[in-house]
Amino acid sequence: MKDIAMSFLSVTEKAAAEVYPYIGKGDKMTADEQATKAMRAELNQQPYTSRVVIGEGEMDEAPMLYIGEVLGNKGTASIDLAVDPIDGTTSVAQGRGNTIAVLAGAPKGKLLHAPDMYMKKIAVGPKAAGAVHVEKPLDENIEAAAKALGKDISEMNIMVQDRKRHHEDIRVIQELGASVTLFAEVDITYAVTTALEEYDTDMLVGIGGAPEGVIAAAALKSLGGDFQGKLMPQNEKEYERCINMQIQNPDKILTLEDIVDSSECFFTATGITDGTLLRGVKNEMGTNLKTHSFLSSAGQYRFIESAHVKIVEQPLV
């Protein structure tokens, strides 16, 4: 799986590089379309057969990277993928930071087919794995995580997306004496940093997109951390969507094993704009692009810097 993961690194690199000309140009639709085309083309170059289980939407609403699309050498699908060509399309269009091209993979049938709806989430790193539960009161989870980490509660730093729906969580955290760090977009990034010693991130909590939750869960699984979720269908139509995607009990608490049922999983992300985890795409000498990526699999992770040199064919003399 480590070799497979390295092969898929080029997929997020190509998607991120393709978006570079559209950063800050106000056209999120074109940026997303170009990233999707680049990601799909690179996936089709892979020697492995992959199937999209979380992507741009259903077949009838997404021409590329739709749920169920088979890519690669077109044999029997052996790898399931959750992909997001741009996590943070509005931020890219507005030239704001912390946007990434991202994908996660696992053996066939081992990734939750999460519908596009809200999910309640909690994420922690390896030292606090097993100490928290998504349905426990937030103060109890913080206390349990602090004990597992060997920290005083006043030393705990909790990542929360800056949304009105999280105002009560913010109040609880601060009254307990822990610190809150708010972020605008891309909760995948902050879920990942809970598992990395070099970041002052002890826990992520809140409500965000379910597809992003699956990608974050794969990252945490590959890093030895913990992620739990609970789907939050807002109406009967969303509830039925869960059933149609083979989630027989949409109210079930989703453990890490429910979401990613294999240790043979991987996660790769490439920065589009500068962010907490990754630097954005840079233009060198007016022609060459440099990308900065993160790759994790089987308990190992690495940061990778790549230069994408434009090769110009010279005419024969």
Side-chain angles (χ1 to χ4, degrees):
M1 188 56 74
K2 290 180 183 179
D3 292 338
I4 292 173
M6 183 61 74
S7 178
F8 279 94
L9 172 66
S10 65
V11 176
T12 55
E13 287 181 335
K14 291 293 177 66
E18 194 65 31
V19 176
Y20 177 77
Y22 303 96
I23 295 172
K25 300 298 176 60
D27 188 353
K28 68 177 185 179
M29 300 300 291
T30 300
D32 189 55
E33 180 183 0
Q34 295 304 312
T36 301
K37 285 181 179 179
M39 181 172 277
R40 183 177 185 272
E42 192 64 21
L43 283 169
N44 269 326
Q45 296 299 313
Q46 298 300 311
Y48 310 101
T49 305
S50 57
R51 177 182 61 158
V52 177
V53 297
I54 292 176
E56 294 292 276
E58 302 287 355
M59 186 186 302
D60 59 355
E61 62 188 35
M64 294 177 290
L65 298 182
Y66 56 82
I67 296 169
E69 184 172 17
V70 176
L71 302 159
N73 68 19
K74 302 298 175 66
T76 301
S78 57
I79 301 168
D80 280 355
L81 295 178
V83 304
D84 195 346
I86 302 179
D87 192 5
T89 52
T90 299
S91 292
V92 164
Q94 296 176 350
R96 291 191 275 119
N98 271 318
T99 61
I100 55 177
V102 62
L103 68 77
K108 184 179 179 181
K110 300 302 182 179
L111 284 180
L112 178 72
H113 296 205
D116 188 8
M117 63 180 58
Y118 279 131
M119 173 188 275
K120 184 178 180 182
K121 309 174 185 180
I122 187 167
V124 293
K127 291 181 180 179
V132 300
H133 190 280
V134 71
E135 282 290 82
K136 281 187 177 180
L138 181 53
D139 56 349
E140 290 184 20
N141 277 325
I142 294 171
E143 290 168 355
K147 182 177 180 180
L149 292 168
K151 287 187 171 187
D152 188 84
I153 288 176
S154 64
E155 299 174 299
M156 294 289 286
N157 185 29
I158 316 300
M159 308 303 296
V160 183
Q161 191 173 19
D162 190 6
R163 295 290 187 272
K164 186 179 294 186
R165 61 181 177 267
H166 295 143
H167 284 181
E168 177 61 16
D169 287 344
I170 294 167
R171 184 194 65 78
V172 169
I173 294 166
Q174 292 176 334
E175 285 192 359
L176 193 63
S179 297
V180 171
T181 296
L182 296 176
F183 63 92
E185 302 285 351
V186 192
D187 61 1
I188 293 172
T189 288
Y190 300 99
V192 171
T193 59
T194 64
L196 307 180
E197 292 284 348
E198 55 263 53
Y199 293 89
D200 180 28
T201 306
D202 298 308
M203 181 187 297
L204 174 138
V205 297
I207 297 169
E212 292 83 359
V214 174
I215 295 173
L220 269 295
K221 183 90 168 187
S222 71
L223 293 165
D226 195 5
F227 182 100
Q228 296 167 28
K230 183 179 180 182
L231 294 172
M232 302 182 69
Q234 302 297 295
N235 49 51
E236 188 64 30
K237 183 177 179 181
E238 288 193 354
Y239 197 92
E240 289 177 1
R241 183 170 169 80
C242 294
I243 302 298
N244 292 336
M245 295 182 74
Q246 308 305 312
I247 300 172
Q248 298 304 319
N249 181 9
D251 298 320
K252 178 184 177 181
I253 302 302
L254 299 169
T255 66
L256 184 58
E257 287 67 35
D258 292 323
I259 302 171
V260 188
D261 189 23
S262 174
S263 60
E264 290 291 303
C265 60
F266 63 90
F267 167 84
T268 176
T270 300
I272 298 172
T273 56
D274 288 341
T276 300
L277 182 67
L278 295 165
R279 297 189 298 275
V281 181
K282 306 299 180 187
N283 192 338
E284 294 189 337
M285 299 180 291
T287 56
N288 301 334
L289 296 180
K290 182 174 285 187
T291 57
H292 188 220
S293 302
F294 178 88
L295 177 70
S296 63
S297 177
Q300 294 184 352
Y301 70 90
R302 64 193 74 184
F303 290 93
I304 301 167
E305 192 172 88
S306 301
H308 305 266
V309 180
K310 185 178 291 185
I311 299 174
V312 179
E313 294 289 342
Q314 298 296 326
L316 296 175
V317 178

